[in-house]
Amino acid sequence: MQTNRKPYTQSQISAWLRGLMSVALADNDYSEQERTLFDQISHSDEWGEEITFSNFEPISAQDLADALGSDRAVGENFLRMAVMMALADGQYTDTEDQVIQGFCKALKQEVKPINDLRKNLEATSHHEEHHPNVLEPVKEWLDHMDIHDSRLANLICKVIPAQCPFERDVVLFGRKIMHIPAMCEINPLYDQLVGLRFRSLSYLADKGEDISKYC
């Protein structure tokens, strides 16, 4: 895949972070993971200012698209991170999907793996629990996220934990996909999250940054 190797501008980074938080807060049901992510992002050096739940204003889809620009790779990388943000608490809700779909439309992109996942879940709605293979297209798509910006790499290292997630259900579009025991390797997105964090650490190390604080 061909990518834009230029670092993001400050306006792109700001819009990126506002977009991620808009997804995290879309369903008005703030889980512990979402609150932690919000706190980490809102207090990060990459953001450049401190915001709170009370004064945060979601970014509109058009404002996001205007800020990110016309480079398709930039928009697609944002959408990958947005999907990961939505899945942070093990749930991908219709409300979060509506926000992401709005971003897709403004960015003139289609997240086919997510659309296919919805169709597959609707087609098998009579099953109480679904086979984890339904996530394979999404996982493959997430694997292609490119890291070429130090601020984004630092943010990823902060928001993706190095420790095992706790036990929970994975629920997409209101349907239970699976139950995750308290073991990292059982997490359906474990490889994608660990791989993204590793690529971010490697990028920062290659740039000469001290990554010991993330290890």
Side-chain angles (χ1 to χ4, degrees):
M1 180 179 67
Q2 198 170 15
T3 57
N4 175 15
R5 291 290 173 180
K6 294 180 180 179
Y8 297 126
T9 65
Q10 184 56 51
S11 61
Q12 286 177 318
I13 288 291
S14 295
W16 188 298
L17 298 181
R18 285 186 65 198
L20 294 182
M21 289 188 286
S22 297
V23 172
L25 304 181
D27 54 10
N28 293 316
D29 182 15
Y30 313 138
S31 68
E32 180 181 348
Q33 297 96 320
E34 287 173 329
R35 286 183 179 273
T36 298
L37 287 171
F38 188 100
D39 184 66
Q40 289 170 326
I41 292 175
S42 63
H43 291 84
S44 67
D45 295 334
E46 295 78 24
W47 176 253
E49 60 180 304
E50 184 175 329
I51 58 174
T52 64
F53 279 102
S54 60
N55 67 14
F56 173 71
E57 294 185 6
I59 190 171
S60 71
Q62 191 56 55
D63 284 347
L64 176 81
D66 290 342
L68 294 186
S70 59
D71 190 298
R72 184 174 181 82
V74 173
E76 191 166 19
N77 268 345
F78 165 77
L79 292 172
R80 288 188 176 98
M81 194 70 180
V83 170
M84 288 188 186
M85 174 69 78
L87 287 168
D89 60 352
Q91 303 220 17
Y92 187 85
T93 66
D94 287 310
T95 307
E96 290 168 330
D97 183 61
Q98 288 172 9
V99 173
I100 290 176
Q101 294 296 341
F103 289 156
C104 289
K105 183 176 180 180
L107 291 167
K108 296 181 172 57
Q109 298 202 32
E110 177 188 4
V111 183
K112 189 174 185 299
I114 293 295
N115 293 337
D116 289 346
L117 175 62
R118 177 189 281 276
K119 292 176 183 177
N120 289 337
L121 291 175
E122 289 175 349
T124 58
S125 59
H126 59 284
H127 296 300
E128 180 181 350
E129 192 162 323
H130 301 265
H131 196 279
N133 283 346
V134 298
L135 283 172
E136 288 303 320
V138 176
K139 291 163 68 174
E140 182 179 353
W141 176 67
L142 293 176
D143 276 334
H144 288 285
M145 183 168 177
D146 182 53
I147 303 299
H148 58 270
D149 186 278
S150 295
R151 290 166 297 179
L152 180 60
N154 274 289
L155 179 65
I156 288 170
C157 292
K158 292 174 185 176
V159 301
I160 297 180
Q163 299 178 343
C164 295
F166 53 81
E167 186 175 16
R168 66 179 185 269
D169 291 331
V170 175
V171 181
L172 306 183
F173 302 115
R175 298 179 178 85
K176 179 179 175 182
I177 300 298
M178 67 182 72
H179 178 78
I180 302 177
M183 294 174 57
C184 284
E185 291 79 2
I186 307 299
N187 187 317
L189 295 180
Y190 172 77
D191 289 337
Q192 285 64 46
L193 294 171
V194 170
L196 179 58
R197 194 174 194 273
F198 177 77
R199 295 199 303 277
S200 298
L201 288 170
S202 298
Y203 178 86
L204 293 174
D206 289 343
K207 290 291 184 180
E209 294 196 28
D210 180 13
I211 62 173
S212 60
K213 58 187 174 182
Y214 298 130
C215 300

